Amino acid sequence: PQVKEELRRVENAEPLALKDSATEAFKAQDYEKAVDDLTAAVALDPTNQVFFSNRSVAYTAMQMYEKALEDADECIRLQPTWAKGYSRRAAAKFHLGDLQAAKVSYSKAWDLEPRDHALYRSVVGQLLYIAKLRPDAQFAVGVLAQATARPKETDMAAAKKLVRYMKGAGEGAADRAGAGTMVPGHRD
């Protein structure tokens, strides 16, 4: 048993070193190297969803959204209960212009990880981008953006409502303050 465990550790060392190298390349904004390192890691261990998730982010940074979506979908296939896969899928779908699919994926991610602050920041970032074209949501998005450092459950619920509202399936703008206090906004 100890020999098998040591062998497994050694087999995992190279792909994990490649992942670490990709992380450093990503931080340095060398996205091509990040993709190359993660592709090599996938070749060594095609069952690790983290490699696909990270490569999806690198493809997104390179504006290669179809490839980002492919990796996000593979990540979900490998680990369907991991919120990050759905978050990656949502980001790719958002950039491909499929806002309905992005909303569905973000909702699934939130269902899996309702207190994920990184997911909240990602959604608010996407909302900030959309709000440039949606004056009716600009104030509400600005209010939500103020909570990105430490979002509360009410902030997360309000962001979900705003995503629904912006797709036309909403319950009004955002209820950030809770207890029925609505952030001003209007419906087209």
Side-chain angles (χ1 to χ4, degrees):
Q2 207 171 23
V3 172
K4 284 184 181 179
E5 188 176 313
E6 180 63 20
L7 182 58
R8 195 172 308 120
R9 188 185 66 74
V10 169
E11 287 174 348
N12 289 335
E14 187 176 356
L16 293 177
L18 286 164
K19 179 183 82 72
D20 292 343
S21 175
T23 300
E24 292 306 312
F26 190 88
K27 288 177 186 175
Q29 298 182 355
D30 186 352
Y31 306 123
E32 288 181 29
K33 178 168 177 17
V35 165
D36 290 345
D37 287 345
L38 290 163
T39 299
V42 164
L44 294 169
D45 183 1
T47 65
N48 189 324
Q49 82 277 2
V50 174
F51 302 155
F52 289 98
S53 172
N54 290 0
R55 191 169 66 177
S56 178
V57 172
Y59 279 135
T60 298
M62 296 170 68
Q63 300 180 357
M64 298 174 74
Y65 305 122
E66 290 289 343
K67 288 187 173 282
L69 179 60
E70 288 174 17
D71 277 359
D73 286 343
E74 183 62 12
C75 178
I76 292 167
R77 188 190 71 73
L78 291 169
Q79 187 57 263
T81 59
W82 195 45
K84 244 184 204 177
Y86 294 95
S87 175
R88 304 296 191 232
R89 184 175 204 285
K93 285 293 194 177
F94 170 82
H95 287 291
L96 289 168
D98 189 347
L99 301 183
Q100 179 63 31
K103 181 188 92 161
V104 169
S105 293
Y106 275 131
S107 292
K108 178 67 176 176
W110 253 323
D111 289 345
L112 292 169
E113 291 289 334
R115 292 188 172 95
D116 186 341
H117 293 182
L119 176 60
Y120 176 84
R121 287 189 294 276
S122 177
V123 169
V124 170
Q126 305 298 334
L127 289 173
L128 285 166
Y129 180 80
I130 294 171
K132 292 177 184 178
L133 305 172
R134 295 285 306 264
D136 58 316
Q138 288 175 352
F139 180 79
V141 173
V143 170
L144 292 173
Q146 293 174 19
T148 54
R150 284 197 203 150
K152 299 176 184 154
E153 285 188 42
T154 54
D155 299 317
M156 293 183 183
K160 276 179 135 173
K161 284 183 181 182
L162 187 56
V163 167
R164 283 194 299 262
Y165 166 75
M166 291 176 79
K167 266 314 284 173
E171 301 168 19
D175 185 8
R176 181 174 187 269
T181 305
M182 295 302 289
V183 175
H186 71 277
R187 234 191 191 125
D188 292 336

